[in-house]
């Protein structure tokens, strides 16, 4: 595949699991140990002052009951628990194989609980203040290969008449710019009327960014503009590039997502792997694979923090490994 379609710049605790109605507090089964009064007060505060849902209160209760049971085995309680005891508890969760996200949720409950005790004057210190949060590994984004994207674009081109032209314009634009789907479907007509070589995209918080447009995307837009009027009623006008009869006045995100699933099936791809956001991932990953610098990709994606963009560098792993194996003098082995 050619790279002309890519921009020229290529260079707190969760709610408890549903399992029936929340148990009324104060009516615990006889075989359960009595809940610590400090925990009871904290849960009452969550419900009364913060308006926490019943399932949320239950989740906090379970997490803090588990902590209190651990402290009791060390002959400690909420009012005299030490930082070492809390560290030992967090370590025990790791030893039991608890997932980092679940441990982080429990730690959040613990921190809020001890801050409450400190604010209420029941403790003179906060033993949870010295605890480190578990390191959470960010999941790698799903990414389509370049051949997959080309198959989707080809499937769009096979659609009949105006529908095919619209889909082609949508696909080419999304892959050429990495726009968020909300930015794509609401793109104003004025942004493309003069066959621009770059788009000004208004993103989150009203911030604008400039994204280059390659020739395939520009050609697809021009073709769609020639057919766009056919989809409007006589005398109707629209400020959007992709108008529709929706309440918003433009193609909706939900409808575009449905169209993508249809294209995936037509392209013999798993529709579960294809979404507007996955195409945004493909834009970033393919740019990096073809030599774009991370800062340029950050600007085109509209990420406020470059750390958000760094997750895409996983696509470089194989390329860098092959480079080292091929070029590094110590990697060469004598025959």
């Amino acid at each position: 595949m050619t790279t002309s379609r890519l921009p020229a710049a290529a260079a707190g605790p969760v709610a408890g699991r549903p399992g029936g109605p929340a148990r009324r507090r104060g009516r615990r089964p006889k075989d359960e140990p009595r809940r610590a009064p400090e925990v009871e007060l904290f849960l009452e505060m969550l419900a009364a002052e913060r308006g926490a849902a019943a399932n949320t209160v239950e989740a906090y209760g379970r997490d803090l009951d588990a902590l209190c049971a651990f402290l009791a085995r060390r002959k400690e309680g909420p009012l005299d628990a030490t930082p070492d005891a809390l560290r030992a508890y967090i370590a025990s969760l790791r030893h039991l194989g608890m997932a980092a996200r679940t441990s982080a949720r429990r730690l959040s409950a613990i921190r809020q609980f001890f801050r409450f005790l400190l604010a209420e004057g029941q403790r003179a210190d906060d033993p949870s203040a010295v605890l480190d949060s578990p390191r959470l590994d960010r999941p790698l984004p799903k990414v389509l290969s370049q051949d997959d994207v080309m198959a989707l674009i080809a499937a769009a081109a096979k659609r009949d008449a105006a529908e095919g032209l619209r889909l082609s314009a949508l696909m080419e634009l999304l892959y050429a710019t990495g726009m968020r789907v909300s930015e794509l479907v609401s793109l104003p007509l004025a942004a493309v009327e003069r066959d621009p070589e770059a788009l000004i995209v208004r993103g989150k918080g009203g911030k604008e960014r400039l994204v280059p447009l390659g020739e395939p995307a520009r050609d697809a837009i021009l073709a769609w503009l020639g057919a766009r009027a056919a989809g409007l009623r006589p005398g109707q006008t629209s400020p959007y590039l992709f108008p529709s009869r929706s309440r918003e006045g433009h193609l909706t995100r939900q409808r575009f997502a449905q169209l993508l699933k249809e294209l995936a099936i037509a392209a013999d791809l798993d529709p579960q792997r294809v979404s507007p956001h996955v195409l945004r991932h493909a834009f970033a990953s393919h740019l990096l694979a073809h030599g774009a610098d991370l800062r340029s990709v950050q600007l085109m994606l509209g990420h406020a923090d470059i750390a958000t963009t760094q997750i895409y560098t996983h696509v470089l792993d194989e390329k860098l490994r092959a480079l080292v194996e091929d070029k590094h003098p110590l990697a060469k082995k004598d025959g």
Side-chain angles (χ1 to χ4, degrees):
M1 117 158 215
T2 65
T3 61
S4 59
R5 282 185 165 82
L6 298 173
V14 297
R17 292 188 296 269
R23 186 176 60 235
R24 290 189 180 182
R25 294 187 333 150
R27 300 184 62 183
R28 299 168 62 79
K30 293 181 180 179
D31 58 342
E32 286 191 28
R34 182 178 178 82
R35 174 168 280 166
E38 297 84 6
V39 173
E40 288 283 2
L41 287 173
F42 174 69
L43 298 181
E44 288 174 4
M45 180 275 296
L46 285 180
E49 297 182 18
R50 299 187 188 176
N55 280 348
T56 302
V57 173
E58 281 292 303
Y60 274 92
R62 286 194 299 270
D63 290 345
L64 294 175
D65 286 344
L67 169 67
C68 289
F70 179 87
L71 292 175
R73 292 193 290 271
R74 295 173 59 100
K75 309 299 183 184
E76 296 182 33
L79 298 184
D80 58 0
T82 62
D84 285 343
L86 298 186
R87 287 193 187 96
Y89 174 65
I90 297 300
S92 74
L93 300 182
R94 290 195 299 270
H95 179 71
L96 292 172
M98 181 172 288
R101 291 191 179 277
T102 306
S103 295
R105 191 201 74 199
R106 289 205 177 185
L107 179 55
S108 175
I110 291 168
R111 283 173 170 159
Q112 293 185 60
F113 175 54
F114 283 105
R115 287 171 190 161
F116 167 76
L117 295 181
L118 179 63
E120 291 292 307
Q122 296 199 47
R123 286 194 63 127
D125 65 335
D126 175 3
S128 70
V130 299
L131 299 179
D132 295 326
S133 298
R135 181 172 180 176
L136 302 180
D137 293 328
R138 296 185 63 179
L140 291 177
K142 297 178 182 177
V143 177
L144 297 173
S145 71
Q146 296 176 41
D147 287 341
D148 290 340
V149 176
M150 292 303 100
L152 288 170
I153 291 175
K158 291 178 182 178
R159 289 293 185 98
D160 294 335
E163 176 71 5
L165 293 175
R166 184 179 71 161
L167 270 175
S168 292
L170 285 162
M171 291 296 301
E172 292 282 8
L173 261 175
L174 187 55
Y175 186 51
T177 65
M179 282 189 285
R180 299 177 179 92
V181 63
S182 58
E183 298 166 349
L184 173 67
V185 297
S186 63
L187 195 67
L189 177 62
V192 300
E193 280 185 312
R194 297 184 180 180
D195 188 20
E197 295 185 356
L199 280 183
I200 296 177
V201 180
R202 186 181 295 274
K204 290 182 177 180
K207 294 182 179 178
E208 293 184 342
R209 64 186 189 276
L210 192 68
V211 183
L213 272 184
E215 188 173 344
R218 293 166 62 196
D219 290 345
I221 292 170
L222 288 173
W224 164 239
L225 288 176
R228 175 180 173 276
L232 298 173
R233 293 188 295 270
Q236 180 187 9
T237 61
S238 171
Y240 299 109
L241 177 59
F242 302 107
S244 82
R245 298 179 183 179
S246 68
R247 182 178 59 185
E248 295 88 346
H250 56 70
L251 181 69
T252 64
R253 294 177 301 165
Q254 294 81 3
R255 178 55 182 154
F256 180 50
Q258 291 172 355
L259 291 171
L260 265 184
K261 300 294 185 186
E262 294 174 10
L263 284 182
I265 294 172
D268 200 25
L269 299 175
D270 180 359
Q272 298 301 317
R273 294 178 54 226
V274 180
S275 71
H277 208 63
V278 168
L279 279 169
R280 178 169 157 89
H281 293 327
F283 161 84
S285 298
H286 298 171
L287 269 179
L288 289 169
H290 284 279
D293 65 276
L294 198 62
R295 174 61 177 165
S296 296
V297 175
Q298 177 198 358
L299 293 174
M300 286 184 283
L301 289 174
H303 287 161
D305 187 347
I306 199 169
T308 308
T309 318
Q310 284 175 331
I311 192 170
Y312 296 106
T313 57
H314 74 93
V315 302
L316 301 179
D317 289 349
E318 288 300 324
K319 185 175 180 180
L320 292 176
R321 187 179 298 111
L323 177 65
V324 170
E325 291 176 354
D326 185 51
K327 302 297 183 182
H328 197 286
L330 296 182
K332 297 183 181 296
K333 295 181 179 179
D334 295 331

